[in-house]
Amino acid sequence: MSNKSSDESREGLRLLALDGGGIRGLSELVILGEIMDRIKATDNLPDTPRPCEYFDLIGGTSTGGLIAIMLGRLGMTVQEAIEAYTKFAGHVFTEKKWAVQDGTFKATRLQEAIQEIVEKHAGSENARMRDDPPLTRCKT
């Protein structure tokens, strides 16, 4: 009989891939919240695990990339990410650019919203995102 924990004995990697799509990222988070609640129930856990505690790799494109950073690098719970994303979306996706400008939404609003999220959850808007996050095995 092996002394390996269930984490050590399982095969493969647990990957979470998140798509972009602006405000539709909120639906990804709602679905992920349900998945994490089911993991809690299935594994008889006392608390719902954070995605960074369950997945080995979290990645995404566009706003899915921002969600990946919130869940993986910043170690947010799904509920914290939903709250931050809702605030973020209200700040970034409400004011469109004029038709003659490049892109749909203002980059400065995006930058401000991201800096606010990083500052709140990492302690500084200038936190280094390349350093391994503490207390997690998750890569982002």
Side-chain angles (χ1 to χ4, degrees):
M1 183 174 265
S2 172
N3 288 334
K4 289 183 178 181
S5 71
S6 62
D7 255 6
E8 293 171 339
S9 63
R10 70 174 168 80
E11 292 183 28
L13 294 173
R14 294 177 178 170
L15 307 175
L16 176 60
L18 301 161
D19 196 11
I23 193 64
R24 291 183 298 265
L26 187 57
S27 63
E28 289 180 320
L29 286 167
V30 170
I31 292 167
L32 180 60
E34 179 63 28
I35 290 169
M36 299 311 294
D37 286 342
R38 290 181 185 199
I39 290 168
K40 174 189 174 193
T42 301
D43 293 351
N44 294 317
L45 301 173
D47 298 308
T48 302
R50 295 170 184 265
C52 67
E53 296 168 337
Y54 188 79
F55 292 98
D56 300 305
L57 177 65
I58 302 174
T61 60
S62 189
T63 55
L66 176 62
I67 294 169
I69 290 168
M70 290 191 294
L71 299 173
R73 299 303 293 182
L74 299 176
M76 294 168 74
T77 65
V78 174
Q79 188 57 43
E80 289 171 330
I82 287 172
E83 291 167 10
Y85 193 80
T86 302
K87 185 176 178 181
F88 161 85
H91 184 74
V92 174
F93 299 133
T94 54
E95 186 178 327
K96 290 189 175 191
K97 288 183 175 182
W98 293 97
V100 294
Q101 292 175 307
D102 192 25
T104 305
F105 300 100
K106 291 188 174 185
T108 53
R109 286 184 161 277
L110 175 64
Q111 181 179 353
E112 291 166 358
I114 291 171
Q115 285 175 328
E116 184 178 324
I117 291 169
V118 171
E119 184 173 9
K120 180 176 180 183
H121 294 278
S124 166
E125 70 180 40
N126 297 317
R128 292 178 49 103
M129 288 287 131
R130 293 188 313 174
D131 297 336
D132 285 335
L135 307 174
T136 180
R137 67 171 192 259
C138 182
K139 299 290 182 191
T140 306

